[in-house]
Amino acid sequence: MNLETLPRHRRATVDTIDWSQLATPEARRLRELGFDQGVAVEVLHRARLGGGPIACRIGRMTVALRRAVAATISVSVDPLPAE
């Protein structure tokens, strides 16, 4: 699964990022924001229009990513906590 298809409000962990699919400035921005293997991430909001950005939480920050960028980030969904 990738970050673009991750359900809203489900926590996940970054598995890999396909750096070869990103332009140099996009890759640099992701690294500066802390995106890397093993980082916790959560999709908070998607723009109503299909091609709009995705707001996600990484650490204590909320960042907006273009869908094409989010599609390059592979994630594993964290298990739901027991109730």
Side-chain angles (χ1 to χ4, degrees):
M1 174 178 287
N2 62 42
L3 189 56
E4 181 185 19
T5 59
L6 180 68
R8 283 181 25 174
H9 304 294
R10 283 298 305 273
R11 293 178 187 214
T13 303
V14 175
D15 285 333
T16 60
I17 300 173
D18 188 355
W19 299 109
S20 67
Q21 296 297 314
L22 298 170
T24 302
E26 292 171 327
R28 184 180 313 117
R29 178 174 177 255
L30 284 184
R31 287 185 178 106
E32 289 170 352
L33 291 171
F35 279 90
D36 204 357
Q37 185 175 2
V39 171
V41 66
E42 176 184 1
V43 172
L44 300 175
H45 181 74
R46 287 185 172 82
R48 291 201 184 261
L49 300 176
I54 296 172
C56 63
R57 177 179 296 138
I58 176 170
R60 292 178 22 189
M61 293 184 298
T62 300
V63 297
L65 298 175
R66 291 185 311 117
R67 289 181 187 257
V69 172
T72 67
I73 303 171
S74 297
V75 298
S76 295
V77 177
D78 295 347
L80 291 173
E83 293 184 20

mmCIF file of all heavy atoms in Angstrom, residues 15-44:
data_model
loop_
_atom_site.group_PDB
_atom_site.id
_atom_site.type_symbol
_atom_site.label_atom_id
_atom_site.label_comp_id
_atom_site.label_asym_id
_atom_site.label_seq_id
_atom_site.Cartn_x
_atom_site.Cartn_y
_atom_site.Cartn_z
ATOM 1 N N ASP A 15 7.646 2.138 4.682
ATOM 2 C CA ASP A 15 8.507 1.004 4.331
ATOM 3 C C ASP A 15 9.639 1.464 3.426
ATOM 4 O O ASP A 15 10.806 1.267 3.736
ATOM 5 C CB ASP A 15 7.712 -0.087 3.612
ATOM 6 C CG ASP A 15 6.825 -0.874 4.551
ATOM 7 O OD1 ASP A 15 7.152 -0.972 5.745
ATOM 8 O OD2 ASP A 15 5.809 -1.385 4.082
ATOM 9 N N THR A 16 9.260 2.031 2.298
ATOM 10 C CA THR A 16 10.249 2.506 1.330
ATOM 11 C C THR A 16 9.727 3.745 0.633
ATOM 12 O O THR A 16 8.522 4.004 0.612
ATOM 13 C CB THR A 16 10.549 1.447 0.246
ATOM 14 O OG1 THR A 16 9.342 1.149 -0.455
ATOM 15 C CG2 THR A 16 11.142 0.185 0.835
ATOM 16 N N ILE A 17 10.642 4.485 0.056
ATOM 17 C CA ILE A 17 10.300 5.629 -0.793
ATOM 18 C C ILE A 17 11.036 5.421 -2.101
ATOM 19 O O ILE A 17 12.245 5.176 -2.111
ATOM 20 C CB ILE A 17 10.716 6.960 -0.145
ATOM 21 C CG1 ILE A 17 9.995 7.138 1.195
ATOM 22 C CG2 ILE A 17 10.424 8.128 -1.092
ATOM 23 C CD1 ILE A 17 10.446 8.329 2.002
ATOM 24 N N ASP A 18 10.303 5.485 -3.204
ATOM 25 C CA ASP A 18 10.907 5.305 -4.529
ATOM 26 C C ASP A 18 11.514 6.635 -4.970
ATOM 27 O O ASP A 18 10.911 7.410 -5.702
ATOM 28 C CB ASP A 18 9.859 4.825 -5.527
ATOM 29 C CG ASP A 18 10.476 4.428 -6.858
ATOM 30 O OD1 ASP A 18 11.705 4.620 -7.043
ATOM 31 O OD2 ASP A 18 9.724 3.936 -7.714
ATOM 32 N N TRP A 19 12.722 6.896 -4.468
ATOM 33 C CA TRP A 19 13.394 8.170 -4.729
ATOM 34 C C TRP A 19 13.598 8.415 -6.226
ATOM 35 O O TRP A 19 13.607 9.561 -6.661
ATOM 36 C CB TRP A 19 14.742 8.214 -4.015
ATOM 37 C CG TRP A 19 14.635 8.104 -2.530
ATOM 38 C CD1 TRP A 19 15.013 7.031 -1.764
ATOM 39 C CD2 TRP A 19 14.105 9.062 -1.609
ATOM 40 N NE1 TRP A 19 14.751 7.275 -0.433
ATOM 41 C CE2 TRP A 19 14.195 8.512 -0.296
ATOM 42 C CE3 TRP A 19 13.559 10.337 -1.758
ATOM 43 C CZ2 TRP A 19 13.774 9.193 0.833
ATOM 44 C CZ3 TRP A 19 13.135 11.013 -0.624
ATOM 45 C CH2 TRP A 19 13.248 10.450 0.646
ATOM 46 N N SER A 20 13.726 7.342 -7.018
ATOM 47 C CA SER A 20 13.976 7.509 -8.454
ATOM 48 C C SER A 20 12.785 8.118 -9.185
ATOM 49 O O SER A 20 12.941 8.654 -10.280
ATOM 50 C CB SER A 20 14.339 6.163 -9.086
ATOM 51 O OG SER A 20 13.224 5.285 -9.050
ATOM 52 N N GLN A 21 11.589 8.055 -8.603
ATOM 53 C CA GLN A 21 10.393 8.618 -9.229
ATOM 54 C C GLN A 21 10.183 10.091 -8.885
ATOM 55 O O GLN A 21 9.275 10.724 -9.411
ATOM 56 C CB GLN A 21 9.153 7.822 -8.801
ATOM 57 C CG GLN A 21 9.153 6.398 -9.262
ATOM 58 C CD GLN A 21 9.130 6.310 -10.787
ATOM 59 O OE1 GLN A 21 8.358 6.993 -11.440
ATOM 60 N NE2 GLN A 21 9.997 5.481 -11.330
ATOM 61 N N LEU A 22 11.021 10.635 -8.015
ATOM 62 C CA LEU A 22 10.862 12.013 -7.566
ATOM 63 C C LEU A 22 11.896 12.924 -8.195
ATOM 64 O O LEU A 22 13.056 12.537 -8.372
ATOM 65 C CB LEU A 22 11.002 12.083 -6.042
ATOM 66 C CG LEU A 22 9.968 11.311 -5.236
ATOM 67 C CD1 LEU A 22 10.376 11.272 -3.775
ATOM 68 C CD2 LEU A 22 8.606 11.935 -5.406
ATOM 69 N N ALA A 23 11.480 14.149 -8.485
ATOM 70 C CA ALA A 23 12.432 15.166 -8.931
ATOM 71 C C ALA A 23 13.334 15.518 -7.741
ATOM 72 O O ALA A 23 12.936 15.355 -6.579
ATOM 73 C CB ALA A 23 11.692 16.403 -9.419
ATOM 74 N N THR A 24 14.511 15.995 -8.013
ATOM 75 C CA THR A 24 15.475 16.311 -6.956
ATOM 76 C C THR A 24 14.900 17.250 -5.893
ATOM 77 O O THR A 24 15.060 16.983 -4.702
ATOM 78 C CB THR A 24 16.771 16.883 -7.557
ATOM 79 O OG1 THR A 24 17.309 15.919 -8.459
ATOM 80 C CG2 THR A 24 17.800 17.201 -6.487
ATOM 81 N N PRO A 25 14.208 18.343 -6.281
ATOM 82 C CA PRO A 25 13.653 19.212 -5.229
ATOM 83 C C PRO A 25 12.596 18.509 -4.362
ATOM 84 O O PRO A 25 12.531 18.740 -3.154
ATOM 85 C CB PRO A 25 13.016 20.364 -6.004
ATOM 86 C CG PRO A 25 13.664 20.347 -7.337
ATOM 87 C CD PRO A 25 14.026 18.923 -7.607
ATOM 88 N N GLU A 26 11.778 17.649 -4.980
ATOM 89 C CA GLU A 26 10.770 16.913 -4.207
ATOM 90 C C GLU A 26 11.426 15.952 -3.227
ATOM 91 O O GLU A 26 11.017 15.850 -2.068
ATOM 92 C CB GLU A 26 9.841 16.131 -5.140
ATOM 93 C CG GLU A 26 8.939 17.003 -5.976
ATOM 94 C CD GLU A 26 8.190 16.212 -7.027
ATOM 95 O OE1 GLU A 26 8.746 15.207 -7.538
ATOM 96 O OE2 GLU A 26 7.055 16.594 -7.334
ATOM 97 N N ALA A 27 12.441 15.235 -3.680
ATOM 98 C CA ALA A 27 13.155 14.294 -2.811
ATOM 99 C C ALA A 27 13.823 15.037 -1.660
ATOM 100 O O ALA A 27 13.761 14.591 -0.509
ATOM 101 C CB ALA A 27 14.192 13.515 -3.617
ATOM 102 N N ARG A 28 14.429 16.169 -1.957
ATOM 103 C CA ARG A 28 15.092 16.963 -0.919
ATOM 104 C C ARG A 28 14.067 17.425 0.119
ATOM 105 O O ARG A 28 14.307 17.344 1.322
ATOM 106 C CB ARG A 28 15.797 18.170 -1.526
ATOM 107 C CG ARG A 28 16.573 18.981 -0.501
ATOM 108 C CD ARG A 28 17.296 20.197 -1.089
ATOM 109 N NE ARG A 28 18.028 19.880 -2.291
ATOM 110 C CZ ARG A 28 17.766 20.419 -3.506
ATOM 111 N NH1 ARG A 28 16.801 21.294 -3.640
ATOM 112 N NH2 ARG A 28 18.490 20.090 -4.552
ATOM 113 N N ARG A 29 12.903 17.875 -0.339
ATOM 114 C CA ARG A 29 11.857 18.346 0.582
ATOM 115 C C ARG A 29 11.386 17.208 1.488
ATOM 116 O O ARG A 29 11.233 17.401 2.697
ATOM 117 C CB ARG A 29 10.673 18.913 -0.195
ATOM 118 C CG ARG A 29 9.547 19.367 0.709
ATOM 119 C CD ARG A 29 8.441 20.063 -0.083
ATOM 120 N NE ARG A 29 7.355 20.427 0.804
ATOM 121 C CZ ARG A 29 6.185 19.795 0.876
ATOM 122 N NH1 ARG A 29 5.943 18.777 0.072
ATOM 123 N NH2 ARG A 29 5.259 20.174 1.708
ATOM 124 N N LEU A 30 11.170 16.023 0.921
ATOM 125 C CA LEU A 30 10.742 14.893 1.756
ATOM 126 C C LEU A 30 11.773 14.569 2.817
ATOM 127 O O LEU A 30 11.438 14.322 3.976
ATOM 128 C CB LEU A 30 10.481 13.655 0.899
ATOM 129 C CG LEU A 30 9.194 13.618 0.086
ATOM 130 C CD1 LEU A 30 9.059 12.277 -0.612
ATOM 131 C CD2 LEU A 30 7.985 13.893 0.940
ATOM 132 N N ARG A 31 13.027 14.576 2.427
ATOM 133 C CA ARG A 31 14.094 14.292 3.406
ATOM 134 C C ARG A 31 14.142 15.361 4.494
ATOM 135 O O ARG A 31 14.315 15.051 5.672
ATOM 136 C CB ARG A 31 15.438 14.183 2.700
ATOM 137 C CG ARG A 31 15.584 12.902 1.905
ATOM 138 C CD ARG A 31 16.988 12.769 1.315
ATOM 139 N NE ARG A 31 17.122 11.531 0.607
ATOM 140 C CZ ARG A 31 17.152 11.424 -0.727
ATOM 141 N NH1 ARG A 31 17.059 12.502 -1.486
ATOM 142 N NH2 ARG A 31 17.283 10.250 -1.303
ATOM 143 N N GLU A 32 13.982 16.629 4.102
ATOM 144 C CA GLU A 32 14.002 17.715 5.081
ATOM 145 C C GLU A 32 12.820 17.627 6.041
ATOM 146 O O GLU A 32 12.927 18.023 7.200
ATOM 147 C CB GLU A 32 13.991 19.077 4.369
ATOM 148 C CG GLU A 32 15.293 19.395 3.671
ATOM 149 C CD GLU A 32 15.208 20.626 2.775
ATOM 150 O OE1 GLU A 32 14.092 21.161 2.566
ATOM 151 O OE2 GLU A 32 16.263 21.041 2.260
ATOM 152 N N LEU A 33 11.694 17.113 5.563
ATOM 153 C CA LEU A 33 10.515 16.955 6.416
ATOM 154 C C LEU A 33 10.601 15.724 7.312
ATOM 155 O O LEU A 33 9.776 15.537 8.200
ATOM 156 C CB LEU A 33 9.250 16.873 5.555
ATOM 157 C CG LEU A 33 8.855 18.163 4.844
ATOM 158 C CD1 LEU A 33 7.726 17.895 3.856
ATOM 159 C CD2 LEU A 33 8.455 19.231 5.851
ATOM 160 N N GLY A 34 11.591 14.872 7.062
ATOM 161 C CA GLY A 34 11.795 13.707 7.909
ATOM 162 C C GLY A 34 11.237 12.408 7.361
ATOM 163 O O GLY A 34 11.205 11.408 8.065
ATOM 164 N N PHE A 35 10.791 12.400 6.113
ATOM 165 C CA PHE A 35 10.292 11.153 5.527
ATOM 166 C C PHE A 35 11.460 10.220 5.273
ATOM 167 O O PHE A 35 12.409 10.562 4.588
ATOM 168 C CB PHE A 35 9.557 11.418 4.204
ATOM 169 C CG PHE A 35 8.151 11.879 4.391
ATOM 170 C CD1 PHE A 35 7.855 13.222 4.500
ATOM 171 C CD2 PHE A 35 7.112 10.960 4.463
ATOM 172 C CE1 PHE A 35 6.558 13.656 4.677
ATOM 173 C CE2 PHE A 35 5.808 11.384 4.637
ATOM 174 C CZ PHE A 35 5.532 12.738 4.744
ATOM 175 N N ASP A 36 11.382 9.036 5.865
ATOM 176 C CA ASP A 36 12.402 8.012 5.688
ATOM 177 C C ASP A 36 11.822 6.688 6.158
ATOM 178 O O ASP A 36 10.763 6.644 6.788
ATOM 179 C CB ASP A 36 13.652 8.359 6.489
ATOM 180 C CG ASP A 36 14.900 7.713 5.925
ATOM 181 O OD1 ASP A 36 14.810 6.941 4.948
ATOM 182 O OD2 ASP A 36 15.989 7.978 6.462
ATOM 183 N N GLN A 37 12.507 5.630 5.896
ATOM 184 C CA GLN A 37 12.064 4.299 6.297
ATOM 185 C C GLN A 37 11.892 4.243 7.816
ATOM 186 O O GLN A 37 12.723 4.738 8.576
ATOM 187 C CB GLN A 37 13.083 3.267 5.854
ATOM 188 C CG GLN A 37 12.666 1.846 6.102
ATOM 189 C CD GLN A 37 13.679 0.862 5.530
ATOM 190 O OE1 GLN A 37 14.701 1.247 4.989
ATOM 191 N NE2 GLN A 37 13.380 -0.399 5.659
ATOM 192 N N GLY A 38 10.768 3.656 8.270
ATOM 193 C CA GLY A 38 10.515 3.479 9.691
ATOM 194 C C GLY A 38 9.775 4.614 10.368
ATOM 195 O O GLY A 38 9.433 4.520 11.540
ATOM 196 N N VAL A 39 9.492 5.687 9.648
ATOM 197 C CA VAL A 39 8.816 6.847 10.223
ATOM 198 C C VAL A 39 7.309 6.608 10.273
ATOM 199 O O VAL A 39 6.721 6.060 9.340
ATOM 200 C CB VAL A 39 9.144 8.116 9.399
ATOM 201 C CG1 VAL A 39 8.305 9.292 9.818
ATOM 202 C CG2 VAL A 39 10.609 8.437 9.501
ATOM 203 N N ALA A 40 6.666 7.030 11.357
ATOM 204 C CA ALA A 40 5.203 6.915 11.487
ATOM 205 C C ALA A 40 4.534 8.033 10.701
ATOM 206 O O ALA A 40 5.004 9.178 10.698
ATOM 207 C CB ALA A 40 4.802 7.003 12.952
ATOM 208 N N VAL A 41 3.426 7.690 10.036
ATOM 209 C CA VAL A 41 2.704 8.653 9.209
ATOM 210 C C VAL A 41 1.209 8.350 9.291
ATOM 211 O O VAL A 41 0.808 7.210 9.553
ATOM 212 C CB VAL A 41 3.231 8.602 7.752
ATOM 213 C CG1 VAL A 41 2.917 7.296 7.092
ATOM 214 C CG2 VAL A 41 2.725 9.761 6.935
ATOM 215 N N GLU A 42 0.396 9.386 9.080
ATOM 216 C CA GLU A 42 -1.061 9.232 9.123
ATOM 217 C C GLU A 42 -1.683 10.221 8.157
ATOM 218 O O GLU A 42 -1.325 11.401 8.164
ATOM 219 C CB GLU A 42 -1.558 9.501 10.544
ATOM 220 C CG GLU A 42 -3.047 9.471 10.709
ATOM 221 C CD GLU A 42 -3.485 9.842 12.119
ATOM 222 O OE1 GLU A 42 -2.625 10.136 12.975
ATOM 223 O OE2 GLU A 42 -4.693 9.840 12.347
ATOM 224 N N VAL A 43 -2.615 9.772 7.309
ATOM 225 C CA VAL A 43 -3.335 10.666 6.406
ATOM 226 C C VAL A 43 -4.456 11.328 7.199
ATOM 227 O O VAL A 43 -5.271 10.648 7.823
ATOM 228 C CB VAL A 43 -3.907 9.910 5.185
ATOM 229 C CG1 VAL A 43 -4.807 10.817 4.361
ATOM 230 C CG2 VAL A 43 -2.782 9.367 4.325
ATOM 231 N N LEU A 44 -4.481 12.656 7.182
ATOM 232 C CA LEU A 44 -5.485 13.401 7.934
ATOM 233 C C LEU A 44 -6.644 13.866 7.053
ATOM 234 O O LEU A 44 -7.783 13.896 7.494
ATOM 235 C CB LEU A 44 -4.847 14.623 8.595
ATOM 236 C CG LEU A 44 -3.723 14.335 9.580
ATOM 237 C CD1 LEU A 44 -3.105 15.637 10.056
ATOM 238 C CD2 LEU A 44 -4.236 13.512 10.736
#
